[in-house]
Amino acid sequence: MASLSGVSSSNVSSLYNSKNTISGLASGMDTEGMIEQLVQSYSQKITQLQQKNTKVEWKQEAYRSMISKLINISSKYTSYTSDTNLLSSSFFNTAATMAALGENKDKVSVSGKGTSDVVLNAVKQLATGARYQTKSNLDSGDGMSIEGEEVNMKDPITNGTMTGGLTLTYGGTRVTLSITADDWSEEDLAKLKDGKTSPADRAQMLANVLNKKLENEKIGSSSASEKISISTDALGNILFDAKGNTGNAVYISGASGPLKDKLNIDIPSDVNVLNGQKSIVMKGVDADDFYEEVDAVSTISEKKFNINYNGTTKQIDGPKVEKDGDNYKINGKSVKADELAEKYAEALNEELDKKFGKNTISVTGKGGDEDFQLTFNLADTEHAKGATLLINTDAGDALGIGNTASNYLSTNSTLEKLLGDRFDKLLDEQGHAVKAELASTWNKGTYNERYFDKQGNELLKITKDKVINEDGKLYLKDAEGKKGELLLDLKGEEYDGEDFYVQADEDGTAPKRVVDFEINGEVVGSYGKDDKLSDLMFDINNNKNANVSVNFSKTSNSFVFTSKDTGKASRVDFGDGLASEMFAANADLSQKTKDVLEMDELKGKTFSLTTTTGKKVEFQFNSDNGSLQDMVNKINANLDNGLKASLNDKGVLEIKDKGGNIIGYTTNENDEVAGKLGSKYTAGQAAIVTVTVNGQDMTLTRSTNNIEIDGMTITAKDTFGYKKDENGNVTNEIDPSQKVTFQSSVDSDKIVDAIKGLITDFNEVMSEVKSAYSTMPYKKSDGTLANYEPLTEADMEGMSESAIQKYEEKAKQGILFNDRNLSGLYNSMLNVFSLSGEDGQVLKNMGITVNFSTTDGSSSIQLDEKKLRSYLETNLDDVQDLFTRSVDGGAATNGIMQNMKNQLDRYAGISGSTKGILVQEAGTPLYSLSLMDNNLQKQIDNTQTEIEKWQSKLSDRVDYYTSQFTRLELLINQMNSQSATLAGMMGG
């Protein structure tokens, strides 16, 4: 639509009327009109410059329209995020469908385009990854109860009060960070209560909390912490910035709760990147704004408990608790101080019985108000095995059970809580510091200089004179300058002999000490006593080199580690130290076999297995008290020929020959014990399938269940294909009736729709490009060029909207006539489809031709859809090759889409260091940084500078003439006055 905004006039009248003048009162002259005439040349110059800028803006508008269409083509047909990416081989591959046929077709899936005749005769076994299940060596209770810690009800409870929501906008994405009281650590609250924190300290504490929240949010597929930086400065300001050179800004677009009120965050109703806050000032925000101390008794009074028992959640109301002098009242009844826990438990039991029934969940209380302790029990012990109990309550911390408590191991527990003194022992034996990169320094150059990394963790500076480098490890010097405790293991890196930084402990006075967790030879992370088990599990699951997944079953109270690899080479191996301490079986042969195997009784049970060498081992247990060592001795007594049994570090039974080679075995049908000794660890195995390829039978062994055969990928999902004997047992004889065959077909609709869409979009933008550079400016009826300059505001007065639109259409016509950039683009894009030789023949066979119009000299791409569909049925590979091949991919020449992409990038590219030719010329809203940095914008800016200079000159001339005419008026006024006086004296 044409713009209806005209070129603004240089209003001389407004300049004249702003002066303190009296116009023509004495002389009778139209001084304003005279001044306008005198400065007319200035006004005309300004108008000409404004019209010049308007024409350049029209050029920008035209360019940007074409840029948007070109980028749209690139995004739809050459981007790997698009469903219509004609540059991608996978787009064509997915259009070529393979179907499995036969009674076992559901036991396989197939994809790709096969070039051979393939029959899948049988799947003998599936590939599996190594799997290890363990109840772990962590302190997780007995599974029957939740035992709270002993607490003193006379001690006040400290709660974090700097809570609420903070919404940050990054580019066009909003991220909301919600802070609760639970997000404030006991350590931070203790420091705040101490009263010695500075605004900078408090800013850093809040920044740390916000950064932790940021890690759990997403911007696209990335963590928000990879896009947004939350940091602090020495003045106690919290700063929000975008990471990297993305051109995006970060600002506060929303806030709620105490965060908003206490930090004085102001959110304009029309908040945007220009007026939104980009920092938080901590000046005037005191330590007591961050916390409050509340009475413990009031904290537990009338609080609700959400209790989940075996997946069913019910809410109960806690009793009302009040102080009554030195004693208490519970639900209005007097209670002695030394009976507080017992009576509180009784009140809870009444509510539990109402909601869950009697003898389901019970609470016992021990101690008074100074040694208060609760224990929640699964009262129905007969059915309690595998039962789950989860309690959530705001009174949890005051009651000593935490806000969330369970009868099974909590993955939110810290490693110190789960390992106890054993973690301290690991720190003593293997602990080391965490090297870090310095990001900011506070109080620089002063005695109390402090250091922080990007995440806001406090660092310690380690000077080179404080360490000893020995065998690739750095040790701190002790008081005598000798080698003290281990500081860092350089792990093969060279020490440069310079100062460096390590993370500080919670007090900021010593290095934070951590231990490594190693699995499958890969250190997945280093952990301190306050790190949570859930964080460690996250690191395991996301470490590509370890290639292991781990999950926790609260029902069985056990961990399951599974190799992400399949096949014989897959493994789950724990390194020494933390990993072995937490999860390795470490079988103690003195333990009772019955207890280790979790059997109710062992006496009379049969142990029976047969080795692959043919040796059968079978015996019965005559006691429930025998140890693992007793069992191993019995097994070895039944073995011969140098075979020896043992339990490995995963508690799995192994039999080895004299050379140390593992001998396989199978448990016999009557076995009741041997099979349990291998259940914790299952070795990986390869897939074994029997196929016929082009008439040739073969057995294939693969490490995965995805079997690639000449371009076709078969995924085995179950075993089949073998005959059964009279007893129903599977034999090794293949049953031909169970085979799976494959049939190929092409989903031509998907390809045809994409090619049709490409040609439609291509013709649309090429028509616009051709018209833009080949259409001449508007001509008069006599054939001469009409001079349609942009309308001024004065010109528009009295014109209708439609008249203005028609005028501007004529004025804009030919604005890009003979533009070399556009003619180059047109010819380059047209050449993409102007093919010869074999490629030209394939294009013709597909029904794609270039049509030239003798009317306007333009060319367009035409498609015969019937020919394309017919050709796809038998020549999909030829079509795929013509569209997708590239020199970078190893081909001799580029195909259609790579050639097109090259031209799209050349003229409309917005990624990479060099932008497209048209983008450099006019910019595009699709790359915001280009809007103010392009050639046409520079012309506009330069012309605007000229306009401002001429406007200044105009103002000066108006001032000059106004001053002169004012003096003239004063003189004439004086003359008139004198004339009147003389006339009066002469009696006139």
Side-chain angles (χ1 to χ4, degrees), residues 469-599:
N469 183 8
E470 185 177 290
D471 299 328
K473 295 180 180 180
L474 296 182
Y475 297 87
L476 285 173
K477 291 181 180 179
D478 61 18
E480 298 178 356
K482 297 180 180 179
K483 184 175 76 173
E485 67 179 20
L486 173 66
L487 181 67
L488 287 175
D489 185 344
L490 299 177
K491 301 184 185 303
E493 294 184 7
E494 292 290 331
Y495 173 49
D496 59 10
E498 298 298 328
D499 299 344
F500 57 93
Y501 299 86
V502 298
Q503 286 187 14
D505 64 9
E506 60 191 36
D507 295 325
T509 57
K512 175 184 177 182
R513 296 187 67 75
V514 296
V515 288
D516 296 337
F517 185 99
E518 181 181 326
I519 185 169
N520 284 351
E522 179 74 15
V523 175
V524 300
S526 301
Y527 305 92
K529 61 182 182 180
D530 294 323
D531 288 314
K532 295 180 179 179
L533 175 59
S534 56
D535 295 330
L536 187 151
M537 293 174 65
F538 177 87
D539 292 341
I540 293 173
N541 287 324
N542 288 277
N543 190 290
K544 295 181 180 179
N545 294 326
N547 220 20
V548 172
S549 66
V550 57
N551 59 70
F552 174 71
S553 167
K554 59 187 179 184
T555 302
S556 63
N557 205 27
S558 62
F559 294 86
V560 178
F561 292 82
T562 306
S563 172
K564 294 179 184 178
D565 287 326
T566 53
K568 290 183 177 181
S570 64
R571 61 190 179 124
V572 178
D573 288 332
F574 298 109
D576 293 336
L578 182 59
S580 291
E581 187 65 46
M582 293 177 70
F583 298 114
N586 297 325
D588 181 357
L589 296 182
S590 66
Q591 296 179 89
K592 290 182 180 180
T593 302
K594 178 175 74 73
D595 294 341
V596 173
L597 299 183
E598 299 179 356
M599 299 175 68

Side-chain angles (χ1 to χ4, degrees), residues 836-868:
S836 60
E838 292 183 8
D839 288 347
Q841 189 60 48
V842 171
L843 199 64
K844 184 178 180 182
N845 293 340
M846 289 170 56
I848 297 177
T849 56
V850 179
N851 181 56
F852 178 76
S853 171
T854 56
T855 303
D856 59 7
S858 66
S859 297
S860 62
I861 310 304
Q862 302 297 313
L863 172 66
D864 185 329
E865 187 176 329
K866 289 184 179 179
K867 288 184 71 173
L868 176 58

Side-chain angles (χ1 to χ4, degrees), residues 814-983:
I815 196 74
L816 292 173
F817 176 65
N818 235 2
D819 187 287
R820 291 185 179 181
N821 289 332
L822 297 184
S823 63
L825 166 64
Y826 184 82
N827 293 325
S828 297
M829 290 290 281
L830 199 61
N831 285 338
V832 170
F833 288 98
S834 302
L835 304 178
S836 60
E838 292 183 8
D839 288 347
Q841 189 60 48
V842 171
L843 199 64
K844 184 178 180 182
N845 293 340
M846 289 170 56
I848 297 177
T849 56
V850 179
N851 181 56
F852 178 76
S853 171
T854 56
T855 303
D856 59 7
S858 66
S859 297
S860 62
I861 310 304
Q862 302 297 313
L863 172 66
D864 185 329
E865 187 176 329
K866 289 184 179 179
K867 288 184 71 173
L868 176 58
R869 289 184 181 277
S870 175
Y871 195 71
L872 283 170
E873 289 300 322
T874 55
N875 299 277
L876 175 61
D877 288 343
D878 290 345
V879 176
Q880 177 175 337
D881 177 70
L882 182 60
F883 272 83
T884 66
R885 73 169 184 258
S886 68
V887 173
D888 289 343
T893 59
N894 288 324
I896 287 176
M897 297 312 298
Q898 187 60 57
N899 279 331
M900 185 179 295
K901 186 177 188 308
N902 290 345
Q903 297 309 318
L904 291 170
D905 288 346
R906 181 186 176 196
Y907 284 93
I910 56 175
S911 60
S913 57
T914 302
K915 304 302 181 283
I917 292 171
L918 303 189
V919 176
Q920 293 181 50
E921 189 67 17
T924 171
L926 298 174
Y927 178 61
S928 57
L929 292 180
S930 70
L931 292 175
M932 301 306 294
D933 184 17
N934 59 76
N935 295 336
L936 293 180
Q937 187 61 45
K938 290 173 183 176
Q939 291 181 33
I940 292 171
D941 293 341
N942 291 337
T943 303
Q944 184 60 36
T945 301
E946 282 191 68
I947 291 172
E948 291 169 0
K949 289 179 180 178
W950 279 98
Q951 285 176 332
S952 179
K953 290 180 180 179
L954 171 63
S955 179
D956 290 344
R957 298 311 295 170
V958 169
D959 287 347
Y960 171 75
Y961 289 125
T962 298
S963 173
Q964 295 298 311
F965 277 110
T966 299
R967 289 178 61 194
L968 177 62
E969 289 292 325
L970 291 173
L971 290 172
I972 293 174
N973 186 50
Q974 290 175 2
M975 291 173 61
N976 289 338
S977 177
Q978 291 173 356
S979 175
T981 300
L982 290 172

Side-chain angles (χ1 to χ4, degrees), residues 6-8 43-58 787-793 795 807 815 943 947:
V7 173
S8 62
S43 299
Q44 290 175 344
K45 181 64 177 180
I46 292 171
T47 298
Q48 290 168 1
L49 290 172
Q50 289 173 333
Q51 289 173 323
K52 179 181 178 182
N53 258 1
T54 299
K55 288 182 178 180
V56 178
E57 288 170 353
W58 287 348
N787 186 22
Y788 280 91
E789 293 293 335
L791 294 170
T792 66
E793 291 176 355
D795 294 334
Y807 181 95
I815 196 74
T943 303
I947 291 172

